[in-house]
Each structure stands twice: as C-alpha cells, then as structure tokens.
Amino acid sequence: MKHKLILVVALFITANCFADFPLAKKGKYLIVPSYNLYQAKGYWDNSGNYQSFNNNGRFTSHYFSLYGGYGLSDKADFVASLPYVIQRRQENNLTEQNASLGDATLGLRYLLNSFDYYKFLTITGSLIVPLYSNASTKLPYTGFQQVGGEVKMSLSGTNRERLKNTYYDVNAGLRQYFSSEGPTQLFFDALFGIPLDDFNKVTFSMSGVNSTSSLNTFNPNNLFLNRQFSYFRLQAGYGRKIDQNYQIFFTIFSDITGKNTGKGGGGSISLVAKL
C-alpha cells in the first residue's frame, strides 16, 4: 500500500499547484505535465512510532503525470490523469525496482455555483482504472490493481477585500476501491496562494488521507500492500507566470505524521497550460 499512498500524494501535489478553478468555457483545454520525486528512509508503524529501514535503506519514487481537462460546457469539464511510475526499494544490500503505468483517472467536474465569479463550488466524480498487473517478480507493487471510484467537493476562489488577490483551493472527498477489502479512503487538501507581483506567487498547502479496510494487517517489509493507513503532510511552493496561458510551479513537501506508511519528503515541478 505504500506505493498507493505515493500515487495519492503525487496526485495531490499535481492538482494543488494551482487553484482548482473550472475551465469556464466550452472548448478550453488545461494540460499539466509534472514530475514528482519522493524519498523515505523509514516508516510509521501501526502505532505511529517511527522506524528506520535497515542498513540505511530507503524507498524512492519517480512519478510522472499528465493531467488534463477539457471544457464540455460553461459548467462541465472532462478531467483525466495518466501516471507513469518508477520506484525503487533498497534495504539489506537488496535493490528492487519496478516501472509501469499507474492508476489512470477519468472524470467529470461540474460547477455548482460561481458566487459572483470570485468563488467556485464544484463537484467531481472520477473512475480509477489500473493500467498495470502486479506480479511477484515485479516489486515494489505499483498499486492495488483494482478499479475504484472517487467523489470530491471543491471550493476555490480569490479574495477581493481582506488579503486582497490571494487565492485558495479546498478539497474533500471519498475514494472507494471495488473489492471486499476496499479500502475506503477519506481525503482532504487545502492550498493558500499569495501573489508577489504580476508574475510570481508562493503557495502553502496541507493534505491528508485516512484509509480503512477489513484487511488491516501491517507488514513493515511490504508497505506497498497495506490498505489501512493515515498520513498528514505540509507543502510549500513557488509559481512563475510565463505568459497569459503558461505557468510553472515548484513544490517541496514533507510528511509530518502517519500510521502504516512511509515517512519522507521530496519535491515536484509542474507546467500548467491553459489553451
């Protein structure tokens, strides 16, 4: 399950580089290629106690993602993501590496209210489709290899009076994998952005996941299979506007607390294109 968490983390980082404003116009495109590096030198066990990997071991994930959206109407957008993952586990003089496509998502985002065009309330429903097959000869595992579904509510907007021109993006949702073991995951993330001038901005965000399952066995030697876990992390970012349609974002992040999951950190780079 450890890697499934890596997928969730990377998706949060990709999605939160910019406020989750709807595309607002039929025929408009949003394209976000990104790269995320995550590394953990230890993990939190079932009691939340930190344990280091043996012999300076570590887990490293290189996560490449292409996230996109298309305006179907003035209120509805089609959204999708396609990830490719390279992950490596090193411990006790043993190195295991696996590279494959990850869990693709396909969804619809609908604008419920625009609040005078400064605040946007949206709901997104997505289907999660695994594009890989787990095998004992390909470790670490890429994910659950299970179809799932997700529903997310989002409130994003720009402050016009207090803290003028700052912006925010708050998301909360439920993710369910369609098997007897689940898991069922509650997640949230919140971002606050501060423009420094017309071209530069900084962002601060937090995110968390709580995953529950009838299969709650914890195996520290195979964190990739754990279905019951939780984590909380903090992130900081910098964005640079290239022109009216393109922005680039850099983000650093660190795990703060958790159970049944890795404790690590890393960074990401994303290019946001609105066409």
Side-chain angles (χ1 to χ4, degrees), residues 1-11 13-14 34-41 53 57-65 83-90 95-103 139-143 224 233 253 255 261-269:
M1 176 51 226
K2 167 73 161 48
H3 178 66
K4 185 60 217 173
L5 175 60
I6 300 302
L7 287 178
V8 171
V9 165
L11 285 173
I13 293 167
T14 300
S34 64
Y35 164 72
N36 174 81
L37 171 65
Y38 179 91
Q39 188 171 90
K41 296 183 178 181
F53 291 128
R58 66 189 60 194
F59 174 87
T60 304
S61 173
H62 302 274
Y63 181 93
F64 303 87
S65 174
Y84 184 81
V85 187
I86 304 172
Q87 43 181 357
R88 180 183 297 112
R89 174 179 176 266
Q90 297 169 288
T95 299
E96 297 173 317
Q97 179 170 307
N98 185 15
S100 70
L101 293 171
D103 289 328
L139 297 173
Y141 287 152
T142 300
F224 326 107
R233 72 168 37 214
F253 54 91
D255 298 327
T261 189
K263 179 185 184 302
S268 69
I269 180 172

Side-chain angles (χ1 to χ4, degrees), residues 6 12 20 32 35 45-46 59 78 80 85 106-107 130 137 145 169 198 231 235-236:
I6 300 302
F12 277 146
D20 197 20
V32 187
Y35 164 72
D45 62 21
N46 190 41
F59 174 87
F78 170 77
V85 187
L106 304 169
T137 56
Q145 194 185 324
D169 182 27
D198 290 341
Y231 85 91
Q235 300 152 193

